Amino acid sequence: MKPLQYSLSRWMEGGGPEAEIVISSRVRAARNIKGYPFSCLAPEQENREVLEKIKAAAAGKDEFSAFTFLAMDDISGLEKQALVEKHLISPFLARESSCGALLLRQDEAVSIMINEEDHLRIQAILPGLRLEEAWTETGRYDDLLESELDFVFNERYGYLTACPTNVGTGLRASVMLHLPSLIMTGQINRFLGALSQVGLTVRGLYGEGTEIVGNLVQVSNQVTLGHREEEIISNLGSVISQVIEQEQTSRQVMLDKKRAELADKAWRALGLLKYAQVLSSQEAIGLLSDLRLGYDLGLIKEVDHKLLNELLVLIRPGCLQLLAGRELENSERNLERPVQIKETLERFRRENN
Amino acid sequence: MKPLQYSLSRWMEGGGPEAEIVISSRVRAARNIKGYPFSCLAPEQENREVLEKIKAAAAGKDEFSAFTFLAMDDISGLEKQALVEKHLISPFLARESSCGALLLRQDEAVSIMINEEDHLRIQAILPGLRLEEAWTETGRYDDLLESELDFVFNERYGYLTACPTNVGTGLRASVMLHLPSLIMTGQINRFLGALSQVGLTVRGLYGEGTEIVGNLVQVSNQVTLGHREEEIISNLGSVISQVIEQEQTSRQVMLDKKRAELADKAWRALGLLKYAQVLSSQEAIGLLSDLRLGYDLGLIKEVDHKLLNELLVLIRPGCLQLLAGRELENSERNLERPVQIKETLERFRRENN
């Protein structure tokens, strides 16, 4: 993998609809090839055969010429971790897969995981609220691969998958939201119950089992069975639109009441990101949230979404160590993190002056 | 009074012996003229006569040609407050005196208060540990005035003064110390008792009844009776030398153990001083202390003592309002403070680049 600063994933470039609240939209489809057990249950030899079949299917198509193939066994632990941090592969593929591999499109908007729990996890991730577009991208590569491979499909249930929650469409759609105002005011708690009642799940920055940090939440559909793909996407989209509206209203109220404090918080965050010598990942994510809110409210103009997304990723342990060019203990990372942040801020300043 | 930035008091310029711990040394002598009640007890008419006598005594001497005369009734409340904040006059002279006035030497190292509690309070304040020199300066103007005026002096007790604690030499010597390490480690508590046992008093930044903020303490002699001037000065000086040694040892231990954290603290302080939009006086003083310690430990080179002293004074309410050119509510001051700090830091950067 090229060093992170030269390979911003498409979603990190920012922009797109509702960009001041929605960081990214992601859709992925789980697929399995007939005649083989699910990857997470299969002996290595069968996973190897699955891998070869998928490679061969892709190799025959022009559309895959812009893809890079990465076998999990061929890349370092740090590189895998960085791919997880960029949301391009799952922690499972990085750590537990047998014959796991990745087909990654050059712009890093489409990543196809091979031998994750399922044989195939086809994912598209785009900046802003763009669920339909992400679904179109996913569907395109799904169709291309299906034209060469025979997927397990049951007339009654739909696509069969390793985990029952994926059976049906095999579709998981999610958005990464920045909800500082709903979270700071505690209003978020009203939503959490309501979202789960309509079949949605709320998670922290790095998915299942991760805490909410930096006011970032992932909202995704819980069940894929019994719904058409378009329903899942539009259902999620319309709930998200309501969350966005609530966050916007809440921000406006805060802005009217506490303009000076919000500006202060954003500028202090920038000051600390520029000047701190020791920074934990958790503190950095919090500072980036304050800064993003200040930028989105028009209180500070010294940054943009692309820079904020880049920083959000490079402060993570894997990316940070990749950038530093070596493995680092936690305490060393806390010293390296501000170095990389400063360098990135300085580069941004030069490029934008 | 000229705006603050064009009239740094001599002590604010920094330097002098033990400058990394001792900010300033101050000596003042209390004197009263025969035939008049102490100012704090006298009717206005008698204070007016005292004032005229002292003005006349000074007017006759070449040595007073570099002095400015300021009647408390002729200057604004803000100007008086700024003089207090620069340690040039006492709060009593500013707020409660009748016919109070000030003779201020151009370099602001010598200030002679008229009609404070006593008829005369002759004060010299210098940067660093320079008690003898400050005493020499005080004594020089004491002698000059005594050659024209008849001071109340009792063969048994010495100079008589309004407050019994000043009877005798009428001398109060004090040093302003920056003791971050002794205070942060709690070691200071051992000293407080010991200092009071040897007749010394410890106070906060603005004298009697003020809290310790920004790790700044004033140490002064408690009693002036029964000691010769030289004894008072050398006694205070030798105790201070011990405190300095302890602070130095404590700093070295901290530096060995926590170099990165101390650098972090200093740089964060600079970042916040440069970027915050809302700053209370208390927070600013704390940040300046962190920054000063970092500078004194060689961990940050972007500042110097003169700048730090200037900032320490201009963040105070009176100076801040004088600089802003208008009266400000507390909440407005918290917005104006960072503006003035940024401007001063920016000017320093320009002058030193």
Side-chain angles (χ1 to χ4, degrees), chain B residues 223-276:
Chain B
V223 174
T224 73
L225 185 65
H227 299 279
R228 287 175 47 243
E229 285 87 345
E230 290 72 14
E231 271 178 351
I232 290 173
I233 300 286
S234 82
N235 175 30
L236 178 61
S238 75
V239 173
I240 292 306
S241 295
Q242 290 173 47
V243 176
I244 291 170
E245 210 183 298
Q246 294 292 323
E247 170 69 18
Q248 275 165 338
T249 307
S250 177
R251 285 187 187 183
Q252 194 54 54
V253 171
M254 268 207 331
L255 188 61
D256 292 344
K257 278 196 204 158
K258 306 188 176 181
R259 188 181 196 91
E261 288 99 303
L262 288 168
D264 184 46
K265 217 169 170 184
W267 281 98
R268 281 171 183 252
L270 182 58
L272 289 176
L273 289 166
K274 279 193 178 176
Y275 283 83

Side-chain angles (χ1 to χ4, degrees), chain A residues 264 268 274-275 277-278, chain B residues 264 268 274-275 277-278:
Chain A
D264 184 46
R268 280 171 184 251
K274 278 192 178 177
Y275 283 83
Q277 306 285 299
V278 185
Chain B
D264 184 46
R268 281 171 183 252
K274 279 193 178 176
Y275 283 83
Q277 306 286 300
V278 185

Side-chain angles (χ1 to χ4, degrees), chain A residues 46-62:
Chain A
E46 295 195 76
N47 283 341
R48 190 165 312 279
E49 284 176 37
V50 164
L51 174 61
E52 290 311 320
K53 265 184 178 285
I54 295 169
K55 274 179 79 168
K61 304 275 178 193
D62 278 356

Side-chain angles (χ1 to χ4, degrees), chain B residues 29-208:
Chain B
R31 300 287 182 260
N32 289 281
I33 300 167
K34 266 188 196 151
Y36 292 90
F38 299 129
S39 307
C40 57
L41 306 168
E44 189 178 333
Q45 182 47 38
E46 294 196 76
N47 283 341
R48 189 165 311 281
E49 282 176 38
V50 162
L51 174 60
E52 290 311 322
K53 265 183 179 282
I54 294 170
K55 274 178 82 168
K61 303 278 178 192
D62 279 354
E63 289 84 349
F64 283 99
S65 61
F67 280 68
T68 305
F69 175 82
L70 294 164
M72 287 301 111
D73 290 341
D74 293 347
I75 64 176
S76 72
L78 283 186
E79 285 172 313
K80 283 187 253 190
Q81 202 180 339
L83 289 169
V84 171
E85 290 163 356
K86 290 164 80 180
H87 302 286
L88 301 177
I89 66 173
S90 66
F92 183 92
L93 188 77
R95 290 187 218 126
E96 298 173 54
S97 62
S98 136
C99 299
L102 170 68
L103 281 166
L104 181 62
R105 200 168 75 179
Q106 204 155 24
D107 67 353
E108 301 186 2
V110 175
S111 55
I112 299 172
M113 286 175 265
I114 303 169
N115 286 323
E116 215 257 13
E117 284 178 20
D118 299 296
H119 298 157
L120 277 165
R121 290 271 175 104
I122 306 164
Q123 171 190 286
I125 179 168
L126 297 170
L129 185 59
R130 275 201 186 109
L131 286 167
E132 283 84 3
E133 207 180 314
W135 163 235
T136 305
E137 283 281 24
T138 304
R140 186 176 150 215
Y141 293 97
D142 181 24
D143 292 346
L144 278 166
L145 290 167
E146 195 159 24
S147 71
E148 300 285 326
L149 300 165
D150 206 0
F151 290 157
V152 189
F153 187 84
N154 174 295
E155 284 303 326
R156 177 143 179 224
Y157 296 118
Y159 291 103
L160 298 186
T161 56
C163 177
T165 60
N166 292 321
V167 169
T169 57
L171 200 77
R172 178 89 63 213
S174 71
V175 285
M176 178 71 73
L177 302 170
H178 185 232
L179 302 177
S181 196
L182 290 179
I183 289 173
M184 281 191 263
T185 58
Q187 292 169 277
I188 190 74
N189 299 316
R190 280 197 291 127
F191 282 96
L192 296 178
L195 291 176
S196 110
Q197 276 176 8
V198 296
L200 300 177
T201 305
V202 180
R203 293 162 172 166
L205 180 54
Y206 285 94
E208 216 161 338

